[in-house]
Amino acid sequence: MNQKHSLLSRLAPFGQKHLLAHWDALADSQRQEFAAQIDGINFAQLATLYTNRDHLIDVVAMVERAQEPPAYRLDSDANAISRSDAIQAGRDALAAGKVAVLVVAGGQGTRLGFDHPKGMFPIGPVGNTTLFQMHIEKTIARGRQCNRSIPFCVMTSPTTHDETVGFFAKHKRFGLAESDLLIFCQGTMPSVSLADGKVLLAAPDQIAMSPDGHGGMLAAFQLSGCLDQLRERGIEMLFYFQVDNPLVDIANEEFLGYHILSRSELTSQVVRKQTPQDRVGNIVSIDGRLHVIEYSDLPDEFATRRKPDSTLAIWAGSIAVHIMELDFLKRQTENKSSLPFHIAKKKVPYIDTNGNPVAPQEPNAIKFERFIFDLLPAADNAIVVEVDSRYHFAPLKNANGSPTDSPADSPESVRKQLSDISIEWLTLTGVRVAPNVRVEISPLFANTPEALAERVNQGLVPRDIDRNTRF
Ligand code: UTP
């Protein structure tokens, strides 16, 4: 049987023969690569996912049993572990070299509309510092505090991998030791037509693929060997975050401490929801296990419920910052059902069977993605730790609007939030900052208000700042 026939007989049972519509016009080398792509796809799995696409979980039944998650609150005297004990435990773990950091940076960043990996976006309010540089500098600063370097892992995807690797090389890893930077690439999933489940072609010899979601981290972390490598180095826990939050407080000692002293396998940072409609995942406890209920799934009736003190009953908004035990992750790599695929209906450009490019105006396709927070229910002793969203969460998601219009989560709004915090830290030390001036503080200069006060005492900061300044 020739190659085309053998491929056709593989595709036919799944109704995917159209993938070979342009086969005869392909050069031999293109055919070999395309055949390899087809070989790498699990069509039986795709068929099942498509058939079950509208299989909805009964959110109402879940939410009816939902309770508040075990939490360390910002304003509670009732916290079982004291702040100082938590800080000490976190410090000890860092000093003993038990902590590594992992950033997921494989997303396509479609809303931001930036032509490079999002980590390369210049977000510093004064110095145009990129997200990657900020994250690395925070990690180095934390390492210096505990006299121990902290390994930094980056998850890329096929779309962001080569550029990310080149970017870190070009900038000499922003000072991080070579052995402390681990970059690994996540997997992909084909996009299928919303109407009939047929796999879409991006080109005559290319299937339309997209990254398999931030939950793809679990499999990729294992397959790349990074998980085992870190365990061999004595790392016990991973500080996980998303590349687009420049306010993330990397490897914060207090956060680590609550996790360690609670013997939690997965601890999540949360913010107190300001309104029932806040667009963050809701962390709740159901039958003694933590779960995330997405904001789009949470019926209004539950989102608006209030406690006797009039605060929201479902209050804990996830900001996708977690600490995960490596032993737990290892166990989960063997649990096939731990990370189910979710579906997202998207506009995916494709070529039709006549070879014409189509740029859809409406969602035409389904992408399949795994979400890392689906690990939560499997984790023993999982807890949440509340942080103040103003100081910890500034997700860069959207493009700037017109010059007068700065939508939420856009470069302009994020830069302002970063600068405002730096100004607040300076003002606390008695430094005066003129109105309309922007300030940026490198974590290597000072990574806490206390560290900044020291810099001021050392005479390294002028008493009056009247122009945009980066320290
Ligand atoms: P988002 O879900 O916000 O997606 O990712 P995005 O790609 O950044 O932006 P849009 O939706 O296309 O506009 C949240 C975080 O998860 C990472 C992203 O890089 C970001 O840090 N992510 C997302 C991955 O690493 N892989 C994925 O497959 C998806």
Side-chain angles (χ1 to χ4, degrees), residues 406-424:
S406 152
D409 307 339
S410 66
E412 211 21 55
S413 70
V414 171
R415 285 192 187 110
K416 180 166 174 356
Q417 194 175 344
L418 294 176
S419 174
D420 286 352
I421 292 171
S422 297
I423 292 171
E424 196 176 312

Side-chain angles (χ1 to χ4, degrees), residues 7-30:
L7 285 170
L8 281 175
S9 59
R10 178 157 142 59
L11 296 170
F14 304 105
Q16 303 286 3
K17 285 198 312 191
H18 66 285
L19 291 176
L20 298 193
H22 314 286
W23 179 267
D24 295 340
L26 298 182
D28 197 46
S29 59
Q30 287 175 304

Side-chain angles (χ1 to χ4, degrees), residues 104-111 118 155 186 211-214 242-244 397:
V104 285
Q108 294 171 306
T110 34
R111 283 168 288 173
K118 222 193 235 186
M155 182 174 86
Q186 72 177 105
D212 57 358
H214 42 67
Q242 300 188 336
V243 74
D244 51 18
K397 298 288 183 193

Side-chain angles (χ1 to χ4, degrees), residues 123-339:
I123 196 65
V126 180
N128 276 332
T129 315
T130 60
L131 284 160
F132 277 140
Q133 180 173 351
M134 282 190 184
H135 298 322
I136 294 277
E137 289 188 354
K138 283 186 199 181
T139 307
I140 293 176
R142 183 72 70 211
R144 283 185 187 161
Q145 272 174 339
C146 57
N147 293 320
R148 189 86 189 218
S149 65
I150 301 174
F152 188 98
C153 312
V154 185
M155 182 174 86
T156 59
S157 62
T159 12
T160 66
H161 187 76
D162 291 347
E163 226 183 326
T164 303
V165 170
F167 184 70
F168 278 108
K170 181 174 164 205
H171 294 281
K172 300 199 167 47
R173 302 168 302 282
F174 300 101
L176 196 76
E178 199 166 357
S179 57
D180 281 335
L181 181 66
L182 287 76
I183 305 183
F184 65 96
C185 188
Q186 72 177 105
T188 51
M189 280 293 279
S191 299
V192 304
S193 155
L194 189 55
D196 53 16
K198 289 198 186 310
V199 171
L200 296 176
L201 282 173
D205 61 342
Q206 236 177 60
I207 288 172
M209 305 289 278
S210 58
D212 57 358
H214 42 67
M217 171 254 169
L218 182 66
F221 196 42
Q222 158 81 358
L223 273 174
S224 64
C226 288
L227 174 53
D228 290 328
Q229 209 179 314
L230 290 181
R231 292 171 96 219
E232 278 155 26
R233 278 172 75 162
I235 303 290
E236 293 180 7
M237 65 203 86
L238 203 59
F239 179 93
Y240 165 108
F241 67 103
Q242 300 188 336
V243 74
D244 51 18
N245 178 15
L247 278 185
V248 59
D249 192 1
I250 294 181
N252 174 284
E253 294 139 338
E254 186 182 349
F255 180 43
L256 283 164
Y258 291 129
H259 168 87
I260 294 163
L261 297 175
S262 305
R263 300 189 174 283
S264 161
E265 290 188 312
L266 204 174
T267 299
S268 294
Q269 231 169 49
V270 294
V271 295
R272 180 197 297 249
K273 284 174 64 183
Q274 302 299 311
T275 73
Q277 290 76 29
D278 284 2
R279 292 162 74 89
V280 282
N282 302 277
I283 301 193
V284 294
S285 173
I286 300 171
D287 306 333
R289 296 266 145 190
L290 297 199
H291 292 256
V292 169
I293 300 180
E294 290 182 74
Y295 61 82
S296 47
D297 287 341
L298 184 65
D300 261 4
E301 177 204 341
F302 294 99
T304 52
R305 275 195 189 162
R306 296 202 175 253
K307 296 192 281 189
D309 66 1
S310 86
T311 58
L312 288 173
I314 293 183
W315 64 268
S318 171
I319 57 169
V321 176
H322 313 285
I323 301 170
M324 302 162 174
E325 289 294 300
L326 290 192
D327 283 352
F328 167 69
L329 289 181
K330 185 77 187 169
R331 223 169 61 227
Q332 292 311 309
T333 58
E334 283 142 27
N335 173 3
K336 294 276 172 280
S337 62
S338 72
L339 289 177

Side-chain angles (χ1 to χ4, degrees), residues 446-467:
N447 65 345
T448 58
E450 297 75 29
L452 183 66
E454 248 181 81
R455 295 297 194 197
V456 172
N457 287 338
Q458 290 163 347
L460 298 173
V461 178
R463 285 279 158 201
D464 283 290
I465 297 175
D466 55 11
R467 63 190 135 113

Side-chain angles (χ1 to χ4, degrees), residues 31 36 52 72 77 101 103 177 193 256 314 320 332 355 368 396-397 416 432:
R31 286 182 182 174
N52 295 337
Y72 285 88
D77 298 332
V101 163
V103 59
S193 155
L256 283 164
I314 293 183
Q332 292 311 309
F368 299 101
L396 176 65
K397 298 288 183 193
K416 180 166 174 356
R432 282 174 298 274

